[in-house]
Amino acid sequence: MAKILAFSGSGRKGSYNHSIVKCAAEGAIAQGAEVTVIDMSEFDMPIFNEDLEASEGMPEKAQAFKDLLMAHDGFLIASPEYNSGYSALLKNAIDWASRMQEGEKPLQAFKNKAAVIMAASPGGLGGIRGLVPLRMLLGNISMIVLPNQLAVSGVSKLVNDEGDVTDEKTVKGLHGLGKALADFLK
Ligand SMILES: Cc1cc2nc3c(=O)[nH]c(=O)nc-3n(C[C@H](O)[C@H](O)[C@H](O)COP(=O)(O)O)c2cc1C
């Protein structure tokens, strides 16, 4: 059974990107995949710095995040758009996880694995501009990024207080993303 890790590039309480990636995960589960949804607020890690890495090694939360990546075949990733790019939190977590440790092959957490990317924003473009560089980054670390993607605009009107996506059309689109990744991994 395909194992998928679902996470967002936001550690904000009530993150819309966490909401949409959770919804996409439901689509993958319905398609028979085993999905782990994580909340990035539980993986607080320092900004990557080679001096810090040399003196203290991989921080505990960065190691825990990397271990999860290593244990899964594909990723559902939702990133906020900050000033037209993906979030620094996401880049930082990927930078830590990209570091090769003893007994590993280069980029082992990512290489030849598949990803589906998405974004959500209260604004009108839904964060689509951040998905362009995110797709490039993931491709450059040897991931297969599926063509399916979704940028959910006006997201604050589409999610309830519990953080569930309530808009039927959006739910359908997000479930479709999860399904696409699960089908690809099969
Ligand atoms: C520094 C900063 C820059 C932002 N830049 C953009 C942007 O370029 N495009 C956009 O659609 N929203 C932008 N936003 C709004 C975010 O999309 C919004 O805060 C969103 O809710 C963050 O994602 P989250 O809910 O998953 O935490 C920006 C927000 C911040 C704090």
Side-chain angles (χ1 to χ4, degrees):
M1 189 191 292
K3 290 182 74 179
I4 295 174
L5 185 68
F7 57 97
S8 85
S10 174
R12 188 176 74 81
K13 279 192 199 78
S15 159
Y16 295 124
N17 283 282
H18 185 67
S19 292
I20 66 162
V21 88
K22 235 176 29 177
C23 185
E26 290 167 5
I29 292 165
Q31 208 58 18
E34 188 183 322
V35 185
T36 311
V37 181
I38 59 170
D39 183 340
M40 287 308 280
S41 68
E42 292 168 19
F43 294 85
D44 202 19
M45 57 188 89
I47 293 285
F48 181 79
N49 177 313
E50 283 185 72
D51 290 338
L52 176 67
E53 183 188 41
S55 62
E56 294 181 30
M58 177 97 72
E60 193 188 328
K61 295 293 172 68
Q63 185 69 60
F65 176 66
K66 182 180 178 184
D67 289 346
L68 280 165
L69 294 174
M70 297 277 270
H72 290 78
D73 312 306
F75 313 138
L76 288 167
I77 308 174
S79 181
E81 180 179 279
Y82 289 149
N83 299 310
S84 79
Y86 52 80
S87 71
L89 181 152
L90 180 59
K91 179 66 162 62
N92 189 48
I94 290 172
D95 287 345
W96 277 113
S98 71
R99 301 298 286 164
M100 188 167 59
Q101 293 167 293
E102 214 180 316
E104 289 178 6
K105 295 187 183 123
L107 295 169
Q108 197 172 322
F110 303 100
K111 201 173 169 74
N112 297 329
K113 294 184 180 180
V116 162
I117 58 175
M118 66 207 79
S121 165
L125 296 179
I128 197 163
R129 295 175 304 174
L131 294 182
V132 177
L134 179 58
R135 177 173 291 279
M136 185 184 74
L137 161 74
L138 296 173
N140 288 341
I141 55 173
S142 304
M143 291 205 73
I144 301 150
V145 188
L146 301 202
N148 318 55
Q149 67 175 35
L150 203 58
V152 181
S153 58
V155 70
S156 49
K157 298 189 194 87
L158 311 176
V159 172
N160 67 16
D161 291 345
E162 284 71 50
D164 299 315
V165 182
T166 49
D167 177 67
E168 207 177 308
K169 192 174 155 215
T170 309
V171 169
K172 203 171 162 202
L174 291 166
H175 282 181
L177 293 185
K179 178 181 183 302
L181 183 60
D183 283 345
F184 181 83
L185 291 172
K186 268 184 201 165

